[in-house]
Amino acid sequence: MKNLIIFDLDGTLLNTIDDLGCAVNHALALRDLPQHGMEEYRTMVGNGVRKLIERALPQDAQDLVEDCLKDFLAYYTENIDVHTKPYPGMDALIGKLDGEGCLLAVASNKFQEGTAKLVERFFPGIDFVAVFGNRPGYPLKPDPELIREIEDLAGRRCGEALNTIMVGDSDTDMKTAANAGIASVAVCWGFRSRAELEQAGAVRFAETAEELYSKIQEVKA
């Protein structure tokens, strides 16, 4: 049996909050709308960029979602890695798991272009089975369809049964794993609190990359 480890991106592999927040604030500033602090954005992310814009806009300005989204995407795509960086030890962890023969994938609710750009930028040389973000016609997490698609690709690549593990920082990731019937490990350095993760059903937690490696070993086949 082959181990397939699927990672969330924002809040799990990469700390992207400052670049996301700056891009939203840029779109808000163009319209003289109130901006938000970076800590506020931690509770707004996780369900795709459209939902992020909706949450950032005042209730009486929801008609501006489409225009703000266009300005956000233009700015963010150009400035996607100004402040973004891997969480401590995560680049080394990915390299170690890859070297041990694990199948690796990324499943994000970030738009596809941004997801692919960041993974290529920060994890070069890693042969991911799939790097999937939000693509037209596909549902967002916690719908398990994305996991099923990755498992299908991984199974065809290795020709073996799979032991799939989801690693994420949010209630969305934990619900995705539960909906897909796979094991999960929750990281505690991301955008959601441990209490939220516990409420979403998380039973394994990692405070550091080293602890995450140990938790993965516990559930590897």
Side-chain angles (χ1 to χ4, degrees), residues 106-156:
V106 173
S108 175
N109 278 347
K110 182 190 290 291
F111 62 105
Q112 178 63 32
E113 181 183 356
T115 299
K117 187 173 182 178
L118 286 175
V119 172
E120 182 179 357
R121 164 73 172 82
F122 289 104
F123 303 99
I126 301 299
D127 184 22
F128 289 97
V129 170
V131 176
F132 286 155
N134 180 19
R135 298 164 293 158
Y138 289 84
L140 295 172
K141 298 181 295 182
D143 191 292
E145 181 177 334
L146 184 59
I147 304 303
R148 300 296 186 220
E149 184 180 2
I150 293 172
E151 288 183 316
D152 181 61
L153 291 170
R156 284 191 275 134

Side-chain angles (χ1 to χ4, degrees), residues 1-2 25 43 49 66 73 75 97 122 125 137 156 164 195 200:
M1 183 173 287
K2 198 75 169 178
N25 281 344
T43 63
V49 292
E66 291 299 328
L73 289 172
Y75 183 94
L97 293 171
F122 289 104
R156 284 191 275 134
T164 307

Side-chain angles (χ1 to χ4, degrees), residues 6-26:
I6 304 175
F7 290 88
D8 172 55
L9 185 63
D10 300 61
T12 300
L13 291 174
L14 300 177
N15 186 349
T16 57
I17 202 68
D18 286 350
D19 285 326
L20 286 166
C22 286
V24 179
N25 281 344
H26 169 77

Side-chain angles (χ1 to χ4, degrees), residues 172-207:
T172 298
D173 297 315
M174 299 302 103
K175 291 174 183 176
T176 302
N179 291 340
I182 61 174
S184 64
V185 181
V187 302
C188 299
W189 54 73
F191 303 151
R192 296 292 187 270
S193 68
R194 180 163 179 148
E196 289 175 277
L197 293 167
E198 289 176 342
Q199 189 173 8
V203 295
R204 302 177 191 87
F205 299 89
E207 299 282 351

Side-chain angles (χ1 to χ4, degrees), residues 21-36 41 53 56-58 64 68 71-72 75:
C22 286
V24 179
N25 281 344
H26 169 77
L28 296 173
L30 290 176
R31 294 160 177 83
D32 294 322
L33 292 170
Q35 299 173 44
H36 304 279
Y41 281 116
I53 296 297
L57 281 169
L64 299 176
C68 284
D71 289 329
F72 164 85
Y75 183 94

